[in-house]
């Protein structure tokens, strides 16, 4: 399939004015290669996709019109767009954590959900994500009740390496683990097979690291 594809994101935590449409990447060139401006996830998407344009805009309808009229988009992929009801979608895909599933099943602010669990019925496909090589069975049994096609996805770590030399780290040495992601516990547990984790430090999701952060971690 060779169709013009545009990825539309809100650009969470990015410093650009997302009331406007921001063209982060054309089909073949990154125009804004700064995660502080575009947002860290958007920057990663721009680098990891080929032959796809990337735009940010808080107004999804406005962004979709830009993609169609200015970029001649034939396929529009919305990052985190399930709850948006203003744009008709040909395909809704939901990711479900095989272990946490839907947390306490409450919507914000009492729980992690943006919509009641029953709204899963609007999904066309479900991906059950396994982050720790656990069984998918509990999540599978729950998802099967909705009679929605699903697939299992296992996250396999590639390597842990020295960012200065790019050399892989193999010895089980004492280490301090830190992260700036939501729900970091699974990440920390995944490191225990290779490192003697003495301490863990959790920053806010999408945390912006600076020199003071590095000094603190080295102290």
């Amino acid at each position: 399939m060779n169709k013009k594809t545009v990825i539309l994101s809100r650009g969470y935590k990015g410093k650009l004015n997302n009331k406007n449409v921001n063209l982060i990447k054309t089909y073949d060139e990154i125009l804004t290669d700064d995660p502080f401006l575009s947002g860290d996830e958007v920057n990663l998407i721009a680098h990891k996709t080929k032959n796809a344009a990337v735009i940010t805009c808080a107004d999804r309808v406005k962004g979709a019109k830009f993609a169609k009229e200015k970029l001649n988009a034939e396929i529009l992929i919305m990052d985190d767009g399930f709850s948006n009801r203003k744009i008709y979608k040909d395909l809704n895909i939901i990711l479900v954590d095989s272990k946490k599933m839907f947390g306490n099943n409450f919507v914000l602010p009492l729980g992690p959900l943006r919509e009641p669990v029953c709204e899963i019925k609007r999904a066309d496909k479900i991906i059950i994500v396994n982050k720790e090589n656990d069984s998918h069975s509990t999540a599978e049994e729950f998802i099967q009740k909705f009679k929605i096609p699903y697939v299992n996805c296992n996250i396999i770590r590639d390597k842990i390496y020295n960012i200065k030399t790019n050399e892989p780290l193999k010895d089980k040495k004492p280490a301090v683990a830190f992260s700036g992601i939501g729900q970091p516990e699974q990440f920390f547990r995944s490191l225990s097979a290779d490192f003697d984790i003495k301490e863990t430090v959790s920053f806010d999701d999408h945390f912006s690291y600076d020199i003071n952060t590095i000094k603190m971690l080295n102290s």
Side-chain angles (χ1 to χ4, degrees):
M1 182 174 65
N2 185 22
K3 292 184 179 292
K4 291 187 175 180
T5 302
V6 177
I7 299 170
L8 170 60
S9 172
R10 290 181 61 89
Y12 182 66
K13 290 286 189 176
K15 302 300 182 184
L16 294 173
N17 182 0
N18 280 347
K19 292 182 179 180
N20 302 321
V21 178
N22 302 294
L23 180 58
I24 307 301
K25 177 190 173 188
T26 65
Y27 292 111
D28 53 15
E29 180 185 6
I30 296 176
L31 303 179
T32 302
D33 193 6
D34 186 339
F36 292 101
L37 292 177
S38 64
D40 56 346
E41 286 185 358
V42 171
N43 185 258
L44 182 64
I45 291 170
H47 277 274
K48 293 296 183 179
T49 55
K50 294 182 179 180
N51 304 319
V54 180
I55 61 178
T56 63
C57 187
D59 185 333
R60 298 301 183 99
V61 174
K62 187 176 181 179
K65 287 181 177 179
F66 180 92
K68 177 65 176 177
E69 296 171 2
K70 303 298 183 181
L71 301 174
N72 299 315
E74 298 171 276
I75 295 176
L76 180 69
I77 299 175
M78 283 203 297
D79 172 31
D80 194 17
F82 184 71
S83 296
N84 184 291
R85 307 291 187 96
K86 294 182 179 181
I87 298 177
Y88 170 79
K89 308 176 193 70
D90 297 290
L91 182 65
N92 281 298
I93 300 176
I94 291 179
L95 274 65
V96 177
D97 188 297
S98 64
K99 193 167 187 175
K100 292 181 177 294
M101 293 181 59
F102 304 101
N104 61 5
N105 290 338
F106 287 113
V107 297
L108 295 167
L110 298 178
L113 304 180
R114 299 182 186 181
E115 299 185 50
V117 175
C118 63
E119 290 301 321
I120 198 174
K121 65 180 181 291
R122 294 177 15 241
D124 298 296
K125 295 182 182 296
I126 295 174
I127 300 176
I128 302 175
V129 182
N130 187 339
K131 299 177 182 177
E132 298 187 76
N133 294 321
D134 294 323
S135 171
H136 292 93
S137 59
T138 302
E140 285 181 350
E141 291 175 5
F142 183 85
I143 297 302
Q144 286 169 358
K145 298 177 183 178
F146 292 89
K147 302 186 184 306
I148 298 172
Y150 69 90
V151 296
N152 293 321
C153 171
N154 292 317
I155 293 180
I156 301 174
R157 192 178 66 214
D158 183 12
K159 65 179 180 179
I160 299 176
Y161 61 94
N162 186 314
I163 61 174
K164 292 182 178 180
T165 66
N166 206 37
E167 292 295 322
L169 302 176
K170 298 180 180 179
D171 297 331
K172 190 163 185 175
K173 297 179 179 179
V176 172
F178 67 94
S179 73
I181 57 176
Q183 304 176 358
E185 299 84 4
Q186 292 169 317
F187 166 68
F188 292 143
R189 284 194 294 267
S190 73
L191 299 175
S192 60
D194 298 291
F195 293 94
D196 178 15
I197 304 299
K198 297 298 185 183
E199 183 182 355
T200 61
V201 182
S202 298
F203 298 103
D204 292 338
D205 195 16
H206 300 275
F207 182 77
S208 179
Y209 299 96
D210 57 23
I211 189 63
N212 292 324
T213 308
I214 296 172
K215 289 179 179 178
M216 183 273 287
L217 292 170
N218 284 328
S219 62

